[in-house]
Amino acid sequence: MYRPIIIISTIIFLTLAQDGQRPTRIEKTFENPSELDALKRSLERNPFEVWYFKDEFKSLEDMSITPEIYNKEAVERTTTKDRLQNVMKKALLGQNIGVTIMGGSISAGGGLINDYSDLRGIYYRVFIDWWQKAIQPFTGSNIELRNLAVGGTGSDFFSFCYKTFMKPQDSMDLIFLEFSVSDYAILRNSQSPMALSLERLTRQLLKEKNSSAVMFVNFVPANLYIPVCDNLENNGQTMLAWHYGITSFSIRDSLCPNTRNKKFAAMFSSDQNHPSILAHAQIAMMIINSVRDALRRSIESSEQGFHHLPSHDLPRSVYFIDDQGVIPDPLCYTLITPDITSKFFNPSLSVKEIANVGFKQVKDVSIGFDRISSGALNPERSRTDWYGGWEAEKENSILKLQIDLPFGGLLSVNETRGVVIVIRSNGYGGKAEVWLEKYKPGIVVDTYSTLEQTRLSTVAHQVVSGSHVLNIKVVRAGKFTLCGVLARAFWLEPMPS
């Protein structure tokens, strides 16, 4: 626990060491006695004066939002507030803050990439721009960004694979989850509760050792500029936010309900579907104000000698059976990447091709629209979410993969896993029979869809540890692309309906 004290221009945190040792002192001294006052003045300055959109949007009114609607759309809750305030103490110590983004095409740059020469207007980059201007000069604390967003991809995929994309040195201090649109599009016909996957992911992230501050970021898509008001918010996510104390930022109350099917061209990009720069600006300002308030509270609590705030124990799960014990990490092997510019590849599951008739390996396939750019890709200017995998188009193409489910760890001898495959759907989709040897019958997977999405299909339940052979046979011609194989402890099942 921390006990912060400020003496003149020095911030001191007393932290209790582990294993019963005496408390140790972490001290941050501002080089200039006036620096702390300068930081306070910077926090008091109106963000509209310094943020990325200072020339376009100088007030809430300029962003077409009233204070009443703004207060309904930016809802702070206890777990996130306390964890966020603790994260801000790191900033006061001059430590860098890790920001992690998980989401679909909106967070990957969908829509904005059509209309602008770069992606600096996306909500999290606008927040980072403000931080680097208003906070970093006085604390030395930089933002370290890890954008894991992948177009057409939901929380079900990330609940298996987010650790696969994280480097050992990455710190997840602030986590923005943007799944209200993609989860609804991908999971609305699921037999399980629509918010089940988001709950799994949220619980995993809340259990991270550094007590990450998790926030839900909620957009609304459009059809020909007409808002599509159904999303995950009204299908379980709002209840999860309340249950776990997660702060939420949304644009939904600005647009919905829309009983007359009014068009809101200013809120959507030229593709008439993805949110526009205005919608991103609204969300960015909500994030800025939330972090700004947390930093002010952190300074005040340090001056008054308050303790490190609690991280909050997790309540019981809502949508799946959880024994409240230690749950082993899911296993992930995927050729989907949120950042093609990074060569980092750290699968937690061993997968090896052992037979192939008619499949080819594909790699570096861009997801979504992107302009042709010369030279190396730049995440500030281009979308970097790409995919690869095994692909076949002809009937009777066959692929066999060996997958090795590890022994030991947190699983006992008698405990089992479910095995899941990852595909990318497309408008020329094929159909394949998929089965695990000794675990027939298998399943039939159809990759046809009018939308390109990352979809998960469970092939077998109660699979024991050891080596297994995964079989895929195309039974209807069309593009069938396998992008990964996953596994999860079997007892993480949905609650009985």
Side-chain angles (χ1 to χ4, degrees):
M1 299 176 67
Y2 291 104
R3 183 176 180 82
I5 308 169
I6 293 185
I7 303 176
I8 308 176
S9 60
T10 301
I11 294 180
I12 299 174
F13 294 94
L14 296 181
T15 179
L16 294 179
Q18 295 180 352
D19 303 324
Q21 298 175 6
R22 294 175 61 84
T24 58
R25 190 172 82 166
I26 304 173
E27 182 174 311
K28 157 73 176 178
T29 303
F30 288 90
E31 294 181 0
N32 188 313
S34 63
E35 278 190 346
L36 184 57
D37 287 336
L39 173 60
K40 290 179 179 180
R41 288 194 300 272
S42 182
L43 286 171
E44 292 304 319
R45 189 176 181 185
N46 190 336
F48 283 109
E49 297 177 4
V50 296
W51 75 328
Y52 178 74
F53 295 118
K54 61 184 176 65
D55 295 325
E56 291 91 346
F57 308 123
K58 303 177 186 297
S59 65
L60 289 179
E61 184 179 2
D62 287 348
M63 294 196 299
S64 303
I65 185 172
T66 66
E68 293 76 19
I69 292 294
Y70 177 92
N71 290 332
K72 289 178 65 176
E73 293 184 330
V75 182
E76 294 192 284
R77 296 184 175 91
T78 303
T79 301
T80 301
K81 282 185 68 175
D82 288 350
R83 288 180 175 223
L84 183 57
Q85 186 170 326
N86 291 334
V87 170
M88 291 303 101
K89 291 175 182 176
K90 288 184 60 177
L92 292 176
L93 291 170
Q95 299 174 16
N96 293 342
I97 303 300
V99 171
T100 303
I101 311 298
M102 300 184 204
S105 61
I106 295 171
S107 292
L112 298 187
I113 201 70
N114 304 55
D115 299 343
Y116 296 91
S117 60
D118 58 53
L119 294 174
R120 289 186 295 171
I122 204 165
Y123 68 94
Y124 51 86
R125 290 195 181 277
V126 175
F127 159 65
I128 294 171
D129 176 81
W130 170 82
W131 178 279
Q132 295 301 110
K133 293 173 181 175
I135 308 303
Q136 192 279 336
F138 309 102
T139 63
S141 172
N142 289 293
I143 295 289
E144 297 176 342
L145 174 66
R146 287 291 289 155
N147 179 20
L148 307 185
V150 177
T153 303
S155 60
D156 53 349
F157 173 79
F158 285 96
S159 70
F160 283 94
C161 293
Y162 78 87
K163 289 188 177 181
T164 301
F165 303 131
M166 301 298 294
K167 299 177 182 178
Q169 68 271 25
D170 289 337
S171 176
M172 293 193 295
D173 298 306
L174 306 183
I175 303 175
F176 298 106
L177 301 183
E178 180 268 304
F179 291 111
S180 57
V181 175
S182 55
D183 271 19
Y184 181 78
I186 295 168
L187 303 172
R188 60 184 169 184
N189 295 320
S190 171
Q191 295 180 352
S192 299
M194 213 180 301
L196 167 65
S197 294
L198 181 61
E199 182 179 23
R200 281 176 171 156
L201 176 60
T202 300
R203 289 181 70 88
Q204 288 173 263
L205 296 172
L206 290 175
K207 289 180 179 180
E208 285 287 337
K209 61 183 179 181
N210 61 339
S211 297
S212 307
V214 178
M215 287 162 267
F216 292 156
V217 172
N218 305 314
F219 288 92
V220 171
N223 182 11
L224 302 177
Y225 294 124
I226 300 172
V228 179
C229 289
D230 271 343
N231 65 11
L232 200 66
E233 288 179 87
N234 62 317
N235 285 277
Q237 180 180 294
T238 299
M239 191 270 288
L240 288 182
W242 173 84
H243 185 70
Y244 289 100
I246 304 295
T247 290
S248 298
F249 308 114
S250 174
I251 64 168
R252 194 164 178 265
D253 282 313
S254 297
L255 303 171
C256 303
N258 186 25
T259 55
R260 296 185 178 182
N261 288 332
K262 179 182 176 181
K263 292 186 177 183
F264 289 82
M267 290 292 286
F268 297 99
S269 299
S270 62
D271 66 5
Q272 305 179 44
N273 171 246
H274 287 90
S276 69
I277 206 81
L278 174 59
H280 281 270
Q282 291 182 2
I283 292 291
M285 183 54 69
M286 296 176 198
I287 295 171
I288 288 169
N289 280 328
S290 180
V291 170
R292 182 169 161 245
D293 290 343
L295 189 50
R296 284 190 292 207
R297 290 195 304 270
S298 186
I299 292 173
E300 291 170 2
S301 70
S302 299
E303 292 174 327
Q304 297 174 31
F306 289 168
H307 286 282
H308 185 80
L309 295 175
S311 297
H312 299 279
D313 294 332
L314 287 183
R316 294 199 66 86
S317 57
V318 176
Y319 291 122
F320 62 91
I321 299 170
D322 177 13
D323 67 352
Q324 291 288 298
V326 179
I327 299 172
D329 286 338
L331 303 175
C332 172
Y333 179 96
T334 182
L335 296 173
I336 294 172
T337 177
D339 186 4
I340 193 63
T341 67
S342 172
K343 300 302 181 183
F344 183 74
F345 182 65
N346 185 34
S348 52
L349 178 65
S350 172
V351 175
K352 181 172 64 176
E353 179 186 307
I354 56 176
N356 186 339
V357 178
F359 277 81
K360 63 179 180 180
Q361 287 197 350
V362 296
K363 62 179 181 178
D364 299 348
V365 181
S366 177
I367 295 176
F369 170 84
D370 198 0
R371 69 182 66 82
I372 303 298
S373 56
S374 59
L377 287 173
N378 181 341
E380 284 193 359
R381 302 182 65 86
S382 308
R383 286 187 63 166
T384 58
D385 50 328
W386 297 49
Y387 74 89
W390 289 269
E391 186 173 284
E393 295 188 12
K394 294 182 178 180
E395 195 171 319
N396 294 320
S397 297
I398 296 174
L399 177 68
K400 291 179 180 284
L401 301 176
Q402 177 181 309
I403 62 172
D404 297 317
L405 300 181
F407 291 91
L410 297 174
L411 285 176
S412 68
V413 175
N414 297 322
E415 286 165 342
T416 57
R417 296 179 174 93
V419 173
V420 179
I421 63 166
V422 183
I423 61 97
R424 283 291 295 186
S425 63
N426 64 91
Y428 178 56
K431 184 182 290 187
E433 293 179 351
V434 185
W435 71 95
L436 207 61
E437 288 187 4
K438 300 181 181 179
Y439 288 88
K440 293 190 76 172
I443 59 173
V444 175
V445 178
D446 191 341
T447 62
Y448 172 78
S449 174
T450 56
L451 301 174
E452 292 192 9
Q453 296 172 330
T454 302
R455 293 188 175 178
L456 277 57
S457 296
T458 301
V459 178
H461 298 276
Q462 295 182 300
V463 180
V464 299
S465 298
S467 293
H468 301 273
V469 177
L470 178 69
N471 297 267
I472 300 172
K473 180 180 180 181
V474 177
V475 295
R476 188 191 71 205
K479 187 163 73 172
F480 188 98
T481 307
L482 176 73
C483 297
V485 183
L486 319 171
R488 169 183 276 131
F490 179 67
W491 70 77
L492 284 177
E493 292 298 300
M495 290 283 194
S497 57

